[in-house]
Amino acid sequence: TRKHSHHRHHRTKRHRVDKDKILKKDVNPTDTVKFILGDTEGSGHEPHQLFSELEELCKTENGMEWKETARWVKFEEDVEEGANRWSKPHVSSLSMHSLMELRSFLLNGTVFLDLEAENLNNIMDVLLESMVNNNQLTYEKIALIKSVILRKHRHQFEGIQRTKSHSALSGIAMLATGIALPKIKSFADIGQQPATAPDWTAQPRTDEDLENDAKNVLFLKKLPKDAEASNILVGEVDFLEEPFSAFIRLQNSTQLGDLTEVSLPTRFLFILLGPESAVQSYHEIGRSIAGSLADEVFHQVAYKAKTREQIVAGLDEFLDQVTVLPPGEWDRNIRIEPPVSIPSQESRKQLLHLPSQDNGKKSLH
């Protein structure tokens, strides 16, 4: 950025050569991550504790809404299907296939670092305009995508009492089974199914509406005061012929109305929309980006990276550390409880020359 430009003319030719070398595609991701985390200039962002929230597009009696299905501080918690409660924190067991699909989206989709905007509406305007200008999106898709993102965001702590429904029992039943991702009807289907098709031409909710939404004050007390949020939105739509993905880091962390269940400013957004069966599981890709951001090293890379290639290198370094369990030898439905003490990552940090943060660290239950 311009504010750092006065430092650059002091850099030596040797440093420039090393920098060029480290950014080559054939460089080991560990070397690239070492460079990113050792770059004193960097992006200018200091890493904060992250609270990640996964929301999925669901059909309710009130139309299409975003429904919170999982959250992370260090470990994962899931909304229990058929029940209005959270699971116990557990270690995220991530699908290798979904991690590789995530890598493909980071490599080939939109990566927008240091987007400047004050609210979700502005973020979508800047993002979508940029994508149209870069021929990544056609103009006629803008209103549809923006309307999807600006739908109501419903969080687990809100329960069912806030559902505006003429039939309470019907509303309870639909919310209890609402985790499955339904298909959004296109404009062509609206005339055929007026009772269930969402109205994407409706006016978006105002900033005042968003600011008045309740927040989970009790859970906020468990988080550090300077924590920031990452919001992950995934869902199936049928007005897109191929998946739409965007990884966004905001220049300034910003409160985004009802997007997050706790009153925290958002730093990162990951959006994935697409047609049915375009990917193996939108939910699993959402879990993969949240699990990656919960990792200590990738978390720092996400804050400090200056390019798409550096973000991808950070994920590659994370993948280098992943252990794959063969199918048939364990049950993925059995959740792994967090360890009493988080295992040391000293050997990994020594390779990256990172300062140790392991002393006395306890798992966050």
Side-chain angles (χ1 to χ4, degrees):
T1 59
R2 181 175 295 275
K3 67 180 179 180
H4 294 300
S5 61
H6 62 283
H7 293 298
R8 288 179 178 152
H9 68 277
H10 296 300
R11 293 188 172 273
T12 64
K13 182 178 180 181
R14 172 64 182 277
H15 177 87
R16 289 195 298 271
V17 171
D18 289 347
K19 182 175 180 179
D20 291 341
K21 180 180 178 183
I22 208 71
L23 294 178
K24 287 183 179 179
K25 292 181 180 179
D26 57 352
V27 172
N28 187 299
T30 298
D31 293 333
T32 305
V33 170
K34 183 191 301 184
F35 169 79
I36 297 166
L37 301 186
D39 185 1
T40 54
E41 188 176 273
S43 66
H45 300 300
E46 283 298 319
H48 293 252
Q49 173 71 60
L50 272 181
F51 167 78
S52 294
E53 179 174 331
L54 173 61
E55 294 187 16
E56 302 182 42
L57 203 55
C58 299
K59 182 185 293 184
T60 72
E61 194 169 82
N62 301 313
M64 302 304 297
E65 294 183 345
W66 291 99
K67 188 176 189 304
E68 181 182 26
T69 58
R71 67 186 183 189
W72 287 253
V73 178
K74 180 64 180 177
F75 298 99
E76 178 177 355
E77 297 174 60
D78 301 316
V79 175
E80 300 280 13
E81 285 196 58
N84 188 35
R85 64 172 181 266
W86 285 105
S87 71
K88 292 181 179 179
H90 57 276
V91 177
S92 293
S93 55
L94 305 175
S95 154
M96 178 57 75
H97 185 87
S98 294
L99 283 166
M100 296 310 296
E101 287 188 303
L102 170 63
R103 185 184 188 279
S104 178
F105 285 123
L106 292 177
L107 189 62
N108 302 305
T110 295
V111 172
F112 203 131
L113 301 181
D114 299 337
L115 185 151
E116 296 188 7
E118 297 180 353
N119 54 54
L120 187 56
N121 193 49
N122 292 155
I123 290 171
M124 296 310 299
D125 285 342
V126 174
L127 173 68
L128 295 173
E129 180 181 355
S130 173
M131 294 182 71
V132 169
N133 291 338
N134 292 321
N135 296 318
Q136 296 171 300
L137 190 69
T138 57
Y139 185 80
E140 60 268 17
K141 303 295 186 186
I142 289 181
L144 289 167
I145 292 174
K146 187 174 177 181
S147 294
V148 170
I149 300 301
L150 296 180
R151 303 299 288 184
K152 162 69 181 173
H153 295 263
R154 189 173 300 283
H155 307 287
Q156 190 279 334
F157 82 94
E158 297 176 81
I160 55 177
Q161 67 271 21
R162 295 185 61 194
T163 303
K164 298 175 183 176
S165 170
H166 296 296
S167 172
L169 290 177
S170 175
I172 292 171
M174 294 194 77
L175 282 173
T177 58
I179 288 182
L181 289 176
K183 229 178 9 174
I184 296 176
K185 302 301 179 183
S186 63
F187 282 131
D189 294 327
I190 291 179
Q192 299 172 11
Q193 299 182 3
T196 58
D199 178 11
W200 297 125
T201 61
Q203 289 293 317
R205 304 170 72 231
T206 66
D207 290 342
E208 184 177 356
D209 291 334
L210 300 179
E211 290 171 3
N212 288 335
D213 279 298
K215 295 289 185 177
N216 190 345
V217 178
L218 292 177
F219 191 76
L220 180 63
K221 293 179 180 179
K222 300 179 180 180
L223 301 172
K225 291 184 178 179
D226 64 345
E228 296 180 336
S230 61
N231 298 98
I232 298 146
L233 307 174
V234 300
E236 290 179 2
V237 298
D238 73 354
F239 56 78
L240 292 174
E241 292 75 36
E242 55 187 34
F244 162 96
S245 73
F247 178 82
I248 303 162
R249 183 179 70 205
L250 298 179
Q251 174 65 35
N252 300 302
S253 58
T254 306
Q255 294 272 0
L256 298 179
D258 70 344
L259 191 62
T260 312
E261 73 162 290
V262 286
S263 184
L264 290 176
T266 290
R267 175 69 70 175
F268 299 99
L269 293 102
F270 179 77
I271 301 169
L272 177 60
L273 300 173
E276 184 179 8
S277 303
V279 299
Q280 191 175 76
S281 171
Y282 289 89
H283 173 76
E284 290 301 321
I285 295 173
R287 290 183 63 248
S288 292
I289 185 65
S292 301
L293 286 168
D295 174 70
E296 188 173 322
V297 173
F298 182 78
H299 165 258
Q300 292 188 47
V301 171
Y303 270 94
K304 295 188 174 185
K306 293 189 283 188
T307 65
R308 171 204 303 274
E309 291 75 20
Q310 291 184 344
I311 294 289
V312 174
L315 185 64
D316 284 342
E317 192 279 337
F318 173 76
L319 289 170
D320 284 347
Q321 304 299 320
V322 167
T323 299
V324 176
L325 297 176
E329 297 186 15
W330 74 298
D331 184 354
R332 285 194 65 193
N333 294 320
I334 298 176
R335 292 171 177 154
I336 304 172
E337 292 190 6
V340 175
S341 295
I342 298 174
S344 172
Q345 297 191 54
E346 275 306 304
S347 58
R348 182 182 179 191
K349 291 176 181 177
Q350 285 172 5
L351 286 174
L352 298 170
H353 298 298
L354 289 179
S356 173
Q357 300 177 9
D358 288 331
N359 295 335
K361 184 184 288 185
K362 301 295 182 182
S363 61
L364 300 176
H365 282 65

